[in-house]
Amino acid sequence: MNGVNPSILQCSMNPNADGRRTGDHHATTSATDPAMREALSWTQSARFLTTASLLTQLPPPGLPEVAFVGRSNAGKSTAINTLAQHRRLAFASKTPGRTQHINLFELGPADAPDARWADLPGYGYAAVARGAKLRWQQVMADYLAHRHALAGIVMLVDSRHGFTPLDRQLLDFVSQRVGTGEVKLLVLLTKADKLSRNEAAKSLAAAQKVLGDLATDHADISMVLFSALSRQGLGDAELVLRQWQAAAPAQLADPVDQAGLADPDAGAPLSPR
């Protein structure tokens, strides 16, 4: 692949004089851009709704949902808290692998919510007992393959290391729903504040190459260099998520049952390691 794949939206970055990226883009642009300000206000409305260990325990799929996925040490909970401007909305443990349920958050006005975020269990933490790992990896697989309300996936990938074999396995698992445009994809290349300009460019190029395999005429794929510490890429990520919500149906029909299963036979179990 030469250059930028036009099918993948590479959100803007703001290089500093010393070659490192900073969060200035969010601070300056959001202050003057009405769409950015509105997206910021919307993401800050996120609040805890419920937790579930099975899909059948989730509320009926009446609102579009965005799932946050990633390795146990990719900064998933920290990214959710940064997007929501809420330090303890998603539990960020010092011990990876602690999230073993689906944690659901609601957004929009309290009396008229318009979207939900789902914090799925992290994967790839070797110290977790295999039995427990199998259980919550299956919950995650069932949600990604079958949840009718799923409108988008935010995938957290450590920008310093790129896509691991497990990350690639997850991409392959959701490739059909992403490729048809049924589910949108945003990749946050986390911990970008630790990269030099050259390293950031290499990280983006490597991600472009991997995501190019999923790109189709119907797919909606974006990627952002992201740092919870410096807030780099925060405004871009907020804007993408808000645009997803605006483009989604206001109320999703429930074609099957209360669990919102899109197709009980779709997909195959993820292979936890």
Side-chain angles (χ1 to χ4, degrees), residues 97-123:
R98 287 289 298 274
T99 302
Q100 300 182 19
H101 302 81
I102 296 175
N103 293 312
L104 213 60
F105 308 95
E106 209 165 53
L107 294 93
D111 59 348
D114 53 24
R116 295 173 183 148
W117 288 351
D119 182 11
L120 302 192
Y123 52 86

PDB file of all heavy atoms in Angstrom, residues 97-123:
ATOM      1  N   GLY A  97      -6.952  -6.906  33.179  1.00  0.00           N
ATOM      2  CA  GLY A  97      -7.787  -8.092  33.160  1.00  0.00           C
ATOM      3  C   GLY A  97      -8.882  -8.096  34.205  1.00  0.00           C
ATOM      4  O   GLY A  97      -9.571  -9.094  34.377  1.00  0.00           O
ATOM      5  N   ARG A  98      -9.084  -6.966  34.930  1.00  0.00           N
ATOM      6  CA  ARG A  98     -10.073  -6.928  35.997  1.00  0.00           C
ATOM      7  C   ARG A  98     -11.500  -6.810  35.456  1.00  0.00           C
ATOM      8  O   ARG A  98     -12.446  -7.256  36.111  1.00  0.00           O
ATOM      9  CB  ARG A  98      -9.770  -5.760  36.941  1.00  0.00           C
ATOM     10  CG  ARG A  98      -8.566  -5.974  37.823  1.00  0.00           C
ATOM     11  CD  ARG A  98      -8.827  -7.019  38.896  1.00  0.00           C
ATOM     12  NE  ARG A  98      -9.904  -6.585  39.784  1.00  0.00           N
ATOM     13  CZ  ARG A  98      -9.707  -5.817  40.846  1.00  0.00           C
ATOM     14  NH1 ARG A  98      -8.491  -5.421  41.163  1.00  0.00           N
ATOM     15  NH2 ARG A  98     -10.729  -5.451  41.600  1.00  0.00           N
ATOM     16  N   THR A  99     -11.683  -6.165  34.295  1.00  0.00           N
ATOM     17  CA  THR A  99     -13.023  -6.023  33.725  1.00  0.00           C
ATOM     18  C   THR A  99     -13.463  -7.358  33.143  1.00  0.00           C
ATOM     19  O   THR A  99     -12.889  -7.851  32.182  1.00  0.00           O
ATOM     20  CB  THR A  99     -13.046  -4.947  32.620  1.00  0.00           C
ATOM     21  OG1 THR A  99     -12.605  -3.712  33.174  1.00  0.00           O
ATOM     22  CG2 THR A  99     -14.450  -4.773  32.067  1.00  0.00           C
ATOM     23  N   GLN A 100     -14.468  -7.974  33.762  1.00  0.00           N
ATOM     24  CA  GLN A 100     -14.913  -9.293  33.327  1.00  0.00           C
ATOM     25  C   GLN A 100     -16.394  -9.304  32.969  1.00  0.00           C
ATOM     26  O   GLN A 100     -17.014 -10.364  32.901  1.00  0.00           O
ATOM     27  CB  GLN A 100     -14.610 -10.324  34.418  1.00  0.00           C
ATOM     28  CG  GLN A 100     -13.124 -10.422  34.738  1.00  0.00           C
ATOM     29  CD  GLN A 100     -12.819 -11.469  35.778  1.00  0.00           C
ATOM     30  OE1 GLN A 100     -13.629 -12.359  36.027  1.00  0.00           O
ATOM     31  NE2 GLN A 100     -11.649 -11.393  36.375  1.00  0.00           N
ATOM     32  N   HIS A 101     -16.963  -8.129  32.773  1.00  0.00           N
ATOM     33  CA  HIS A 101     -18.353  -7.997  32.386  1.00  0.00           C
ATOM     34  C   HIS A 101     -18.466  -6.926  31.307  1.00  0.00           C
ATOM     35  O   HIS A 101     -17.505  -6.231  31.003  1.00  0.00           O
ATOM     36  CB  HIS A 101     -19.224  -7.600  33.588  1.00  0.00           C
ATOM     37  CG  HIS A 101     -19.173  -8.556  34.728  1.00  0.00           C
ATOM     38  ND1 HIS A 101     -18.153  -8.565  35.654  1.00  0.00           N
ATOM     39  CD2 HIS A 101     -20.029  -9.546  35.088  1.00  0.00           C
ATOM     40  CE1 HIS A 101     -18.372  -9.518  36.551  1.00  0.00           C
ATOM     41  NE2 HIS A 101     -19.502 -10.123  36.227  1.00  0.00           N
ATOM     42  N   ILE A 102     -19.663  -6.786  30.758  1.00  0.00           N
ATOM     43  CA  ILE A 102     -19.956  -5.663  29.876  1.00  0.00           C
ATOM     44  C   ILE A 102     -20.499  -4.539  30.746  1.00  0.00           C
ATOM     45  O   ILE A 102     -21.513  -4.712  31.437  1.00  0.00           O
ATOM     46  CB  ILE A 102     -20.997  -6.044  28.808  1.00  0.00           C
ATOM     47  CG1 ILE A 102     -20.442  -7.120  27.879  1.00  0.00           C
ATOM     48  CG2 ILE A 102     -21.403  -4.812  27.998  1.00  0.00           C
ATOM     49  CD1 ILE A 102     -21.457  -7.631  26.867  1.00  0.00           C
ATOM     50  N   ASN A 103     -19.815  -3.411  30.763  1.00  0.00           N
ATOM     51  CA  ASN A 103     -20.284  -2.238  31.487  1.00  0.00           C
ATOM     52  C   ASN A 103     -20.900  -1.276  30.483  1.00  0.00           C
ATOM     53  O   ASN A 103     -20.247  -0.882  29.511  1.00  0.00           O
ATOM     54  CB  ASN A 103     -19.134  -1.572  32.239  1.00  0.00           C
ATOM     55  CG  ASN A 103     -18.618  -2.453  33.360  1.00  0.00           C
ATOM     56  OD1 ASN A 103     -19.388  -2.987  34.152  1.00  0.00           O
ATOM     57  ND2 ASN A 103     -17.308  -2.624  33.432  1.00  0.00           N
ATOM     58  N   LEU A 104     -22.146  -0.915  30.715  1.00  0.00           N
ATOM     59  CA  LEU A 104     -22.888  -0.104  29.757  1.00  0.00           C
ATOM     60  C   LEU A 104     -23.081   1.308  30.301  1.00  0.00           C
ATOM     61  O   LEU A 104     -23.424   1.499  31.474  1.00  0.00           O
ATOM     62  CB  LEU A 104     -24.251  -0.753  29.487  1.00  0.00           C
ATOM     63  CG  LEU A 104     -24.853  -0.598  28.082  1.00  0.00           C
ATOM     64  CD1 LEU A 104     -23.921  -1.202  27.042  1.00  0.00           C
ATOM     65  CD2 LEU A 104     -26.216  -1.281  28.013  1.00  0.00           C
ATOM     66  N   PHE A 105     -22.846   2.297  29.421  1.00  0.00           N
ATOM     67  CA  PHE A 105     -23.013   3.705  29.773  1.00  0.00           C
ATOM     68  C   PHE A 105     -24.018   4.338  28.815  1.00  0.00           C
ATOM     69  O   PHE A 105     -24.114   3.939  27.653  1.00  0.00           O
ATOM     70  CB  PHE A 105     -21.676   4.442  29.696  1.00  0.00           C
ATOM     71  CG  PHE A 105     -20.572   3.771  30.466  1.00  0.00           C
ATOM     72  CD1 PHE A 105     -19.692   2.896  29.833  1.00  0.00           C
ATOM     73  CD2 PHE A 105     -20.434   3.975  31.825  1.00  0.00           C
ATOM     74  CE1 PHE A 105     -18.688   2.263  30.535  1.00  0.00           C
ATOM     75  CE2 PHE A 105     -19.425   3.347  32.540  1.00  0.00           C
ATOM     76  CZ  PHE A 105     -18.554   2.483  31.899  1.00  0.00           C
ATOM     77  N   GLU A 106     -24.737   5.328  29.308  1.00  0.00           N
ATOM     78  CA  GLU A 106     -25.751   6.003  28.511  1.00  0.00           C
ATOM     79  C   GLU A 106     -25.329   7.442  28.247  1.00  0.00           C
ATOM     80  O   GLU A 106     -24.678   8.068  29.091  1.00  0.00           O
ATOM     81  CB  GLU A 106     -27.085   5.985  29.276  1.00  0.00           C
ATOM     82  CG  GLU A 106     -28.315   6.003  28.413  1.00  0.00           C
ATOM     83  CD  GLU A 106     -29.559   5.628  29.202  1.00  0.00           C
ATOM     84  OE1 GLU A 106     -29.812   6.262  30.254  1.00  0.00           O
ATOM     85  OE2 GLU A 106     -30.263   4.693  28.779  1.00  0.00           O
ATOM     86  N   LEU A 107     -25.693   7.979  27.074  1.00  0.00           N
ATOM     87  CA  LEU A 107     -25.346   9.351  26.713  1.00  0.00           C
ATOM     88  C   LEU A 107     -26.572  10.107  26.245  1.00  0.00           C
ATOM     89  O   LEU A 107     -27.589   9.508  25.886  1.00  0.00           O
ATOM     90  CB  LEU A 107     -24.285   9.371  25.602  1.00  0.00           C
ATOM     91  CG  LEU A 107     -22.910   8.827  25.959  1.00  0.00           C
ATOM     92  CD1 LEU A 107     -22.813   7.347  25.606  1.00  0.00           C
ATOM     93  CD2 LEU A 107     -21.817   9.600  25.244  1.00  0.00           C
ATOM     94  N   GLY A 108     -26.450  11.439  26.237  1.00  0.00           N
ATOM     95  CA  GLY A 108     -27.551  12.299  25.837  1.00  0.00           C
ATOM     96  C   GLY A 108     -28.316  12.798  27.050  1.00  0.00           C
ATOM     97  O   GLY A 108     -27.944  12.526  28.195  1.00  0.00           O
ATOM     98  N   PRO A 109     -29.412  13.535  26.831  1.00  0.00           N
ATOM     99  CA  PRO A 109     -30.210  14.050  27.951  1.00  0.00           C
ATOM    100  C   PRO A 109     -30.674  12.920  28.862  1.00  0.00           C
ATOM    101  O   PRO A 109     -30.982  11.816  28.397  1.00  0.00           O
ATOM    102  CB  PRO A 109     -31.395  14.728  27.254  1.00  0.00           C
ATOM    103  CG  PRO A 109     -30.893  15.053  25.880  1.00  0.00           C
ATOM    104  CD  PRO A 109     -29.951  13.948  25.524  1.00  0.00           C
ATOM    105  N   ALA A 110     -30.741  13.191  30.152  1.00  0.00           N
ATOM    106  CA  ALA A 110     -31.136  12.162  31.118  1.00  0.00           C
ATOM    107  C   ALA A 110     -32.533  11.627  30.839  1.00  0.00           C
ATOM    108  O   ALA A 110     -32.802  10.432  31.034  1.00  0.00           O
ATOM    109  CB  ALA A 110     -31.057  12.730  32.535  1.00  0.00           C
ATOM    110  N   ASP A 111     -33.434  12.502  30.351  1.00  0.00           N
ATOM    111  CA  ASP A 111     -34.800  12.069  30.085  1.00  0.00           C
ATOM    112  C   ASP A 111     -35.020  11.596  28.655  1.00  0.00           C
ATOM    113  O   ASP A 111     -36.114  11.154  28.303  1.00  0.00           O
ATOM    114  CB  ASP A 111     -35.779  13.201  30.406  1.00  0.00           C
ATOM    115  CG  ASP A 111     -35.499  14.468  29.595  1.00  0.00           C
ATOM    116  OD1 ASP A 111     -34.419  14.541  28.968  1.00  0.00           O
ATOM    117  OD2 ASP A 111     -36.349  15.374  29.585  1.00  0.00           O
ATOM    118  N   ALA A 112     -33.963  11.688  27.815  1.00  0.00           N
ATOM    119  CA  ALA A 112     -34.078  11.239  26.421  1.00  0.00           C
ATOM    120  C   ALA A 112     -32.714  10.794  25.903  1.00  0.00           C
ATOM    121  O   ALA A 112     -32.150  11.399  24.987  1.00  0.00           O
ATOM    122  CB  ALA A 112     -34.643  12.358  25.549  1.00  0.00           C
ATOM    123  N   PRO A 113     -32.142   9.731  26.482  1.00  0.00           N
ATOM    124  CA  PRO A 113     -30.825   9.254  26.032  1.00  0.00           C
ATOM    125  C   PRO A 113     -30.859   8.877  24.564  1.00  0.00           C
ATOM    126  O   PRO A 113     -31.888   8.444  24.045  1.00  0.00           O
ATOM    127  CB  PRO A 113     -30.574   8.038  26.933  1.00  0.00           C
ATOM    128  CG  PRO A 113     -31.923   7.606  27.393  1.00  0.00           C
ATOM    129  CD  PRO A 113     -32.734   8.864  27.516  1.00  0.00           C
ATOM    130  N   ASP A 114     -29.707   9.068  23.880  1.00  0.00           N
ATOM    131  CA  ASP A 114     -29.676   8.805  22.443  1.00  0.00           C
ATOM    132  C   ASP A 114     -28.589   7.830  22.013  1.00  0.00           C
ATOM    133  O   ASP A 114     -28.438   7.563  20.818  1.00  0.00           O
ATOM    134  CB  ASP A 114     -29.541  10.114  21.656  1.00  0.00           C
ATOM    135  CG  ASP A 114     -28.362  10.964  22.120  1.00  0.00           C
ATOM    136  OD1 ASP A 114     -27.405  10.405  22.698  1.00  0.00           O
ATOM    137  OD2 ASP A 114     -28.404  12.200  21.912  1.00  0.00           O
ATOM    138  N   ALA A 115     -27.808   7.298  22.950  1.00  0.00           N
ATOM    139  CA  ALA A 115     -26.768   6.337  22.592  1.00  0.00           C
ATOM    140  C   ALA A 115     -26.252   5.656  23.851  1.00  0.00           C
ATOM    141  O   ALA A 115     -26.494   6.115  24.973  1.00  0.00           O
ATOM    142  CB  ALA A 115     -25.615   7.037  21.869  1.00  0.00           C
ATOM    143  N   ARG A 116     -25.531   4.555  23.643  1.00  0.00           N
ATOM    144  CA  ARG A 116     -24.895   3.845  24.751  1.00  0.00           C
ATOM    145  C   ARG A 116     -23.471   3.472  24.353  1.00  0.00           C
ATOM    146  O   ARG A 116     -23.190   3.218  23.176  1.00  0.00           O
ATOM    147  CB  ARG A 116     -25.668   2.567  25.102  1.00  0.00           C
ATOM    148  CG  ARG A 116     -27.065   2.787  25.648  1.00  0.00           C
ATOM    149  CD  ARG A 116     -27.804   1.470  25.810  1.00  0.00           C
ATOM    150  NE  ARG A 116     -29.188   1.672  26.272  1.00  0.00           N
ATOM    151  CZ  ARG A 116     -30.190   0.891  25.941  1.00  0.00           C
ATOM    152  NH1 ARG A 116     -29.984  -0.155  25.140  1.00  0.00           N
ATOM    153  NH2 ARG A 116     -31.410   1.134  26.401  1.00  0.00           N
ATOM    154  N   TRP A 117     -22.591   3.446  25.333  1.00  0.00           N
ATOM    155  CA  TRP A 117     -21.238   2.920  25.172  1.00  0.00           C
ATOM    156  C   TRP A 117     -21.142   1.624  25.963  1.00  0.00           C
ATOM    157  O   TRP A 117     -21.661   1.537  27.076  1.00  0.00           O
ATOM    158  CB  TRP A 117     -20.191   3.897  25.699  1.00  0.00           C
ATOM    159  CG  TRP A 117     -19.994   5.118  24.862  1.00  0.00           C
ATOM    160  CD1 TRP A 117     -20.514   5.366  23.617  1.00  0.00           C
ATOM    161  CD2 TRP A 117     -19.220   6.270  25.207  1.00  0.00           C
ATOM    162  NE1 TRP A 117     -20.101   6.597  23.169  1.00  0.00           N
ATOM    163  CE2 TRP A 117     -19.311   7.176  24.122  1.00  0.00           C
ATOM    164  CE3 TRP A 117     -18.454   6.619  26.313  1.00  0.00           C
ATOM    165  CZ2 TRP A 117     -18.660   8.408  24.117  1.00  0.00           C
ATOM    166  CZ3 TRP A 117     -17.806   7.852  26.320  1.00  0.00           C
ATOM    167  CH2 TRP A 117     -17.904   8.728  25.231  1.00  0.00           C
ATOM    168  N   ALA A 118     -20.464   0.641  25.391  1.00  0.00           N
ATOM    169  CA  ALA A 118     -20.259  -0.633  26.062  1.00  0.00           C
ATOM    170  C   ALA A 118     -18.767  -0.877  26.248  1.00  0.00           C
ATOM    171  O   ALA A 118     -18.017  -0.940  25.274  1.00  0.00           O
ATOM    172  CB  ALA A 118     -20.874  -1.770  25.244  1.00  0.00           C
ATOM    173  N   ASP A 119     -18.353  -0.989  27.497  1.00  0.00           N
ATOM    174  CA  ASP A 119     -16.961  -1.291  27.836  1.00  0.00           C
ATOM    175  C   ASP A 119     -16.842  -2.805  27.953  1.00  0.00           C
ATOM    176  O   ASP A 119     -17.328  -3.396  28.912  1.00  0.00           O
ATOM    177  CB  ASP A 119     -16.601  -0.599  29.156  1.00  0.00           C
ATOM    178  CG  ASP A 119     -15.142  -0.827  29.559  1.00  0.00           C
ATOM    179  OD1 ASP A 119     -14.362  -1.336  28.722  1.00  0.00           O
ATOM    180  OD2 ASP A 119     -14.797  -0.504  30.712  1.00  0.00           O
ATOM    181  N   LEU A 120     -16.213  -3.426  26.950  1.00  0.00           N
ATOM    182  CA  LEU A 120     -16.110  -4.890  26.926  1.00  0.00           C
ATOM    183  C   LEU A 120     -14.854  -5.354  27.650  1.00  0.00           C
ATOM    184  O   LEU A 120     -13.888  -4.604  27.796  1.00  0.00           O
ATOM    185  CB  LEU A 120     -16.091  -5.387  25.476  1.00  0.00           C
ATOM    186  CG  LEU A 120     -17.274  -5.021  24.579  1.00  0.00           C
ATOM    187  CD1 LEU A 120     -17.232  -5.839  23.298  1.00  0.00           C
ATOM    188  CD2 LEU A 120     -18.605  -5.233  25.284  1.00  0.00           C
ATOM    189  N   PRO A 121     -14.841  -6.608  28.104  1.00  0.00           N
ATOM    190  CA  PRO A 121     -13.657  -7.132  28.791  1.00  0.00           C
ATOM    191  C   PRO A 121     -12.410  -7.024  27.925  1.00  0.00           C
ATOM    192  O   PRO A 121     -12.456  -7.253  26.713  1.00  0.00           O
ATOM    193  CB  PRO A 121     -14.023  -8.600  29.045  1.00  0.00           C
ATOM    194  CG  PRO A 121     -15.510  -8.629  29.050  1.00  0.00           C
ATOM    195  CD  PRO A 121     -15.931  -7.603  28.040  1.00  0.00           C
ATOM    196  N   GLY A 122     -11.290  -6.661  28.545  1.00  0.00           N
ATOM    197  CA  GLY A 122     -10.023  -6.647  27.829  1.00  0.00           C
ATOM    198  C   GLY A 122      -9.568  -8.068  27.540  1.00  0.00           C
ATOM    199  O   GLY A 122     -10.046  -9.023  28.150  1.00  0.00           O
ATOM    200  N   TYR A 123      -8.645  -8.201  26.617  1.00  0.00           N
ATOM    201  CA  TYR A 123      -8.169  -9.540  26.257  1.00  0.00           C
ATOM    202  C   TYR A 123      -6.645  -9.573  26.246  1.00  0.00           C
ATOM    203  O   TYR A 123      -5.981  -8.539  26.190  1.00  0.00           O
ATOM    204  CB  TYR A 123      -8.710  -9.961  24.889  1.00  0.00           C
ATOM    205  CG  TYR A 123      -8.490  -8.962  23.769  1.00  0.00           C
ATOM    206  CD1 TYR A 123      -7.311  -8.945  23.022  1.00  0.00           C
ATOM    207  CD2 TYR A 123      -9.463  -8.020  23.449  1.00  0.00           C
ATOM    208  CE1 TYR A 123      -7.116  -8.025  21.997  1.00  0.00           C
ATOM    209  CE2 TYR A 123      -9.289  -7.104  22.428  1.00  0.00           C
ATOM    210  CZ  TYR A 123      -8.105  -7.112  21.706  1.00  0.00           C
ATOM    211  OH  TYR A 123      -7.908  -6.205  20.697  1.00  0.00           O
TER     212      TYR A 123
END
